[in-house]
């Protein structure tokens, strides 16, 4: 019998990461005051929108599961922000990438309608969380099967190249999703084809209740890049500037023909898999340690400490987010659910009956 792998603490924060001394990291290129404020706005919007959704969930108004990204807002926001929306870049989100969707232009009212299964939701009440897409705004509707978005995004980025477009795709995968065959096939194909794809591996320590060391024998998810012959980067997923910086480099590499990069973002899932999950399997001291590395608190302290943004600008942003969400919740809360008589509309296509290719009608007469 093989010995069980030695337990190791989850997701040791990468060397040099964590709360930094002021001035330790230069401001990533291209980030001016407006962009710095944007990063704060989108992280705060993500956090507050999820808090509103939690209240609605407890009132029985969210129909289905609620998958929080508490503690992972920097990972979603910083990586999506590194794409160039005006160039037509696209990303494929997972259930915890609300922040990425908001950066790409999804509106809180759409997200509220999705979760509350309203008739006017992007999926007309058929799908109950973030599984909706809008290629026009650069986000692809996700397939629930873990890992499958990697081959899908490989296909999408292949079309960019075949059409001579300088567009980049970004696919998110979780530590659990990386154990699937679909991830392997997609990575391999994208790597061999040198496609303009960035794969962001979100190492948040858990897949449901499965810890990282029970998920994989590698110590760092970035090591998997070696199997595909692509470069890897590893960054502190709770530091939005580090996330932006590392993703921006990978996006630039992809756009200039350098192919795929695998980025590992080290972060932590501070809630259960979904709201129904009480995290009984999580050591309390582990949670407490990561609460001290809250990405929004770290960022607010950093930008104020460096003198990049005044505390008043952050407070104004908090008030702006609260106002926007008050309006979004009151706009959507009373909206109707779909009419049951329309339940099958837009679910099944009714293709014209075609003779099957493999079946020949017997000659008559
Ligand atoms: C192929 C497949 N197997 C199982 C599931 C059920 N499932 C949904 S989410 C999830 C855990 C995902 O963990 P991870 O990839 O680490 O992402 P995280 O939830 O941590 O963001 C599982 C097992 C699925 N959707 N697809
Ligand atoms: Mg995970």
């Amino acid at each position: 019998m093989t010995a069980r792998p030695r337990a190791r603490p989850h997701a040791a924060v990468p060397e040099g990461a964590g709360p930094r001394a002021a001035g330790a990291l230069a401001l990533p290129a291209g980030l001016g005051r407006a962009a710095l404020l944007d990063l704060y706005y989108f992280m705060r919007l993500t956090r507050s929108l999820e808090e509103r959704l939690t209240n609605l969930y407890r009132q029985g108004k969210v129909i289905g599961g609620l998958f929080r990204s508490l503690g992972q807002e920097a990972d979603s926001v910083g990586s999506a922000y590194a794409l160039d929306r005006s160039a037509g870049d696209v990303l494929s989100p997972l259930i915890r990438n609300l922040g990425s969707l908001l950066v790409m232009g999804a509106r809180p009212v759409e997200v509220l309608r999705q979760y509350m299964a309203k008739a006017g939701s992007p999926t007309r009440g058929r799908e109950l969380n973030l599984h909706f897409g809008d290629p026009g705004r650069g986000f692809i509707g996700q397939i629930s099967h873990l890992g499958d978005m990697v081959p899908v995004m490989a296909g999408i980025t292949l079309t960019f190249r075949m059409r001579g477009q300088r567009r980049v795709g970004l696919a998110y995968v979780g530590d659990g999703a990386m154990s699937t065959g679909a991830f392997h096939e997609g990575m391999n194909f994208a790597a061999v084809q040198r496609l303009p794809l960035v794969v962001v591996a979100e190492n948040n320590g858990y897949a449901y209740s499965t810890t990282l060391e029970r998920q994989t024998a590698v110590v760092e998810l970035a090591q998997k890049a070696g199997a595909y012959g692509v470069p890897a980067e590893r960054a502190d997923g709770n530091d939005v500037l580090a996330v932006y910086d590392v993703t921006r480099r990978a996006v630039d590499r992809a756009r200039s023909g350098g192919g795929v990069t695998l980025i590992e973002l080290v972060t932590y899932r501070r809630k259960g898999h979904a709201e129904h999950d009480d995290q009984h399997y999580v050591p309390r001291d582990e949670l407490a340690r990561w609460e001290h590395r809250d990405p929004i608190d770290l960022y607010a302290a950093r930008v104020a400490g460096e003198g990049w943004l005044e505390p008043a600008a952050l407070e104004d942003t908090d008030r702006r987010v609260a106002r926007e969400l008050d309006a979004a919740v009151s706009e959507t809360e009373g909206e109707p659910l779909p009419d049951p008589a329309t339940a099958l509309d837009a679910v099944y296509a009714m293709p014209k009956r075609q003779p099957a290719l493999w079946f020949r009608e017997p000659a008559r007469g």
Side-chain angles (χ1 to χ4, degrees), residues 60-73:
K61 292 176 181 166
V62 164
I63 300 171
L66 175 58
F67 305 86
R68 294 283 309 265
S69 68
L70 180 68
Q72 295 185 222
E73 295 90 347

Side-chain angles (χ1 to χ4, degrees), residues 72 96 173-177 202-208 210 212 215 221 269 273:
Q72 295 185 222
R96 266 176 249 294
V173 280
D175 41 281
E202 302 179 299
N203 178 356
N204 64 0
Y206 291 89
Y208 268 107
T210 304
L212 191 70
Q215 183 68 247
L221 296 177
R269 195 194 71 193
H273 177 68

Side-chain angles (χ1 to χ4, degrees), residues 44-62:
R44 178 61 69 203
L45 185 63
T46 307
R47 170 87 42 102
S48 301
L49 177 50
E50 287 188 0
E51 285 167 355
R52 302 293 178 114
L53 284 164
T54 306
N55 291 341
L56 293 165
Y57 178 86
R58 293 193 180 138
Q59 295 169 48
K61 292 176 181 166
V62 164

